[in-house]
Amino acid sequence: MSVGTALPAIGEVLPAVDYAPAAQPVGDLVSHAQTFAHPDVAHVPGVADAVHQAAGHMTDAAAQGLHELLAPAAVALGALSGALLAGRAALVTTQVLAAAAVRAAEEQACLERRQEASATAARQWEAAAFAATRANARRAALLARVRRAARTAPPGTPPPPVPGLPGPLAPVGMPLARLRERLAVLDERMRHAEAAHAEWVLRENRNAFTGPQDDAWQRELRARRASVLHEHRSRPDAARDADPSVARRADEALPQPPAAEELRHEDAVRIGAELLARLDVAATAEDAEPAAAAVRHALAAAATRPLKARTHLREARRFVAATNRAVRARRAAEERAAAQLDFLETTAPQGTDPLPPVPAETALLRRVLDEGRRLEPHEQRQVDDRVSERLAELERRYVERMLRLAISGTDRFDGRTADSSHPHGRLVRFDWTPPGWGAEHWLRIALDGEHARVATMRREAPGARDAAALALDDERCHEADGHLEQLRGIAQRLGVELDFAFEESGTVPGTRGEEGVLVLDEDTAGARRPEPSGKAREEHRRRSDDRPGHRTVRTDGR
């Protein structure tokens, strides 16, 4: 082998990965425990030893040991891992996010019952992070809906109640069990706030729901709407949102009027009230007007013209089903916009390479929430492109960190600049000398936003190469396949797929560690992180004492 190319693909995102520092002195080695930058990880017994063992021997078993150390209970969510998961969540449908919320709730229930969750740590974290994205998006969409209602309410109308909601969830730095607990709290508070807003819509827009016999009609409608909203408050709705067939079955179950000869006025009142009560909790008075008008006509005709009343009730039923579909689509668009806006507005932590702002796309997404209208198809494509670009940049940073760890068992950073400061064009290069190769040959790995490229390098020297040097070149090219296969296996354990396609073209002359190239060799694995000072140990003990008590999850389910 001489030259190879791969398209790195990230499978499961390890939960505790933080951003790389923008600059650090050359030679400053950061162990795997520091890489993930959380006190709970840095003091897990055996982490450093397992890392150095993995680096020294490059074995799948050692990498598996690293993977197991990243159990849900052992770490909090890292900033880079959290950003990656938020970016993935911003590109999937609301149904996928709802399904993740269902899984997160089920896994929390397993924990409470002392049962083992079948999903890996990374998948449990993904479900919880996706559920957090959904919860924050629902929260932002509801607050926007309340603001719009206050802005458009008729003069003299009391404003809608401000939802009493906790702040948005911030999963980064939070242990998994605590995140799930806060998810449950926010979900319950959200359902209560949504129901309270729906009650305000009914109470303050009586004209939209008024019937000929106003008092009796309003009592019947309020009673049935109260029953529907009580059901909404008391039952989590993620399972419903995750399965479109649930909503279709609910529409199919809307009450049907009996035959005209059997239709009485009280039947029309009961059926009409039930139909309007079954409008989606996010429906506005304007949304309700077509169905409400059809019900009014049915009530007016029920006593003397039951056939006409029945026609109007069937029409109202069609309006309710169509309105619910439209409201669900609008709510999904608003929640997607909220998730994408949050992702595009998230900045990299101070001291790390910044993420480029995208003001045009964030303005489009704010308009969705401010005006309650969906993006045009070309606008949505524009936003999706910016989300995908940012996600690709975060994936490149993640792959870079995992390759550094896979090669040397450390995460080493220096102050040398990359070939391009613009994130979309940035090229990161490593020089790695496999064990036993000496100083004459090494492998150079280059990462850009899409590809990983590897070349078998030799030290550049003047003059012609003799037969022995050429034979050694061939030997190193042949050995490179095996070393890269080991690297591929370790990277795979760390969640990164690297399937290289190779070309035979001889070694490439160059200078090891030249400008802009980071040298990562297995001998760096012998470096040890300095023992923490007495002050640092005391700070860790103080953090442990201050940390809220909670039961953490072991990978063995106990």
Side-chain angles (χ1 to χ4, degrees):
M1 184 224 71
S2 179
V3 177
T5 303
L7 290 171
I10 301 172
E12 295 181 354
V13 176
L14 297 186
V17 184
D18 275 310
Y19 284 85
Q24 227 173 327
V26 175
D28 185 15
L29 299 180
V30 183
S31 76
H32 181 66
Q34 291 172 301
T35 296
F36 297 118
H38 189 270
D40 285 345
V41 181
H43 296 269
V44 172
V47 169
D49 291 340
V51 172
H52 295 306
Q53 179 187 7
H57 300 291
M58 289 285 284
T59 65
D60 285 349
Q64 178 65 20
L66 294 180
H67 204 70
E68 291 172 354
L69 284 168
L70 297 178
V75 295
L77 187 65
L80 181 54
S81 297
L84 261 178
L85 293 173
R88 289 183 171 188
L91 285 174
V92 300
T93 66
T94 53
Q95 292 173 13
V96 173
L97 297 183
V102 172
R103 290 197 303 276
E106 291 172 346
E107 288 157 0
Q108 180 64 12
C110 286
L111 171 63
E112 293 168 356
R113 294 193 299 265
R114 306 296 193 268
Q115 294 176 343
E116 182 178 359
S118 60
T120 64
R123 288 181 181 174
Q124 289 186 51
W125 272 103
E126 180 182 77
F130 276 29
T133 293
R134 175 180 182 266
N136 286 342
R138 286 181 65 199
R139 179 184 180 278
L142 174 62
L143 294 176
R145 198 155 64 240
V146 171
R147 290 194 299 269
R148 294 197 305 267
R151 193 169 60 242
T152 58
T157 301
V162 177
L165 297 172
L169 293 168
V172 171
M174 191 180 296
L176 182 57
R178 191 183 309 164
L179 175 58
R180 287 172 178 163
E181 291 167 0
R182 294 188 181 179
L183 271 167
V185 170
L186 180 55
D187 180 72
E188 183 179 13
R189 298 275 289 275
M190 275 292 306
R191 287 183 277 110
H192 280 262
E194 289 168 343
H197 185 68
E199 288 173 339
W200 175 87
V201 171
L202 177 62
R203 183 174 62 249
E204 302 302 335
N205 293 275
R206 293 171 64 95
N207 290 338
F209 301 98
T210 300
Q213 297 179 351
D214 188 64
D215 290 342
W217 164 252
Q218 287 293 334
R219 283 195 300 271
E220 184 74 19
L221 177 59
R222 284 197 298 270
R224 293 185 178 276
R225 186 63 165 168
S227 175
V228 169
L229 296 180
H230 174 73
E231 181 183 1
H232 181 78
R233 287 186 180 97
S234 59
R235 182 183 302 174
D237 54 5
R240 179 203 66 197
D241 291 346
D243 184 359
S245 68
V246 175
R248 287 197 300 270
R249 289 195 299 270
D251 290 342
E252 292 167 359
L254 290 170
Q256 290 270 20
E261 60 270 17
E262 298 175 4
L263 182 64
R264 299 169 299 172
H265 183 269
E266 53 267 34
D267 295 326
V269 170
R270 174 180 54 80
I271 294 170
E274 182 68 18
L275 286 171
L276 295 185
R278 290 288 170 184
L279 283 165
D280 190 281
V281 293
T284 65
E286 292 76 15
D287 294 326
E289 177 54 34
V295 169
R296 283 197 297 271
H297 290 309
L299 296 180
T304 57
R305 291 174 290 175
L307 181 60
K308 185 174 183 181
R310 182 176 187 273
T311 300
H312 284 304
L313 286 174
R314 290 171 62 86
E315 185 180 50
R317 185 179 186 274
R318 289 194 297 272
F319 281 141
V320 169
T323 297
N324 283 347
R325 288 193 295 272
V327 171
R328 287 193 295 266
R330 183 178 67 213
R331 192 177 62 196
E334 292 172 3
E335 291 175 9
R336 184 183 189 191
Q340 293 187 322
L341 178 62
D342 184 64
F343 176 62
L344 291 177
E345 287 189 328
T346 299
T347 58
Q350 187 174 4
T352 67
D353 291 334
L355 296 167
V358 284
E361 289 72 26
T362 54
L364 286 174
L365 294 169
R366 286 196 195 95
R367 194 178 70 194
V368 173
L369 298 175
D370 290 342
E371 300 178 7
R373 72 168 186 84
R374 303 175 69 171
L375 292 176
E376 296 296 330
H378 72 278
E379 293 173 328
Q380 187 63 65
R381 286 194 297 271
Q382 177 183 341
V383 169
D384 289 345
D385 286 346
R386 298 296 86 75
V387 172
S388 297
E389 287 171 3
R390 173 163 292 194
L391 180 59
E393 165 59 14
L394 293 172
E395 288 176 339
R396 185 200 59 74
R397 298 187 189 194
Y398 183 93
V399 170
E400 175 187 340
R401 300 210 77 178
M402 292 300 100
L403 282 186
R404 292 184 187 208
L405 178 61
I407 291 171
S408 66
T410 64
D411 222 355
R412 174 179 172 174
F413 303 98
D414 57 39
R416 290 174 291 187
T417 59
D419 290 352
S420 170
S421 61
H422 193 283
H424 295 308
R426 182 176 177 183
L427 182 70
V428 177
R429 295 183 295 170
F430 307 116
D431 279 351
W432 167 40
T433 305
W437 275 29
E440 295 297 319
H441 293 84
W442 65 94
L443 295 174
R444 176 165 293 172
I445 302 172
L447 292 175
D448 59 23
E450 295 182 11
H451 301 88
R453 294 181 171 86
V454 62
T456 306
M457 306 291 295
R458 60 174 168 82
R459 186 166 61 180
E460 190 167 20
R465 296 177 66 75
D466 58 23
L470 292 174
L472 184 58
D473 288 348
D474 291 341
E475 182 180 347
R476 294 293 183 249
C477 285
H478 178 73
E479 293 171 347
D481 285 349
H483 290 296
L484 286 172
E485 182 60 24
Q486 273 193 310
L487 174 61
R488 189 197 67 79
I490 290 288
Q492 188 177 47
R493 294 292 192 185
L494 294 171
V496 177
E497 294 289 342
L498 282 175
D499 292 325
F500 284 99
F502 301 115
E503 299 176 7
E504 295 289 346
S505 57
T507 55
V508 179
T511 301
R512 186 173 181 270
E514 65 189 54
E515 181 66 26
V517 180
L518 180 65
V519 177
L520 283 179
D521 289 344
E522 292 201 7
D523 54 14
T524 63
R528 284 293 191 269
R529 183 168 52 96
E531 286 296 316
S533 65
K535 181 178 179 182
R537 285 194 298 268
E538 178 61 31
E539 173 65 13
H540 172 64
R541 282 195 295 270
R542 184 188 65 78
R543 288 184 180 179
S544 300
D545 293 341
D546 291 345
R547 199 172 299 132
H550 61 276
R551 182 178 183 275
T552 52
V553 187
R554 291 169 49 118
T555 52
D556 60 7
R558 295 195 296 272

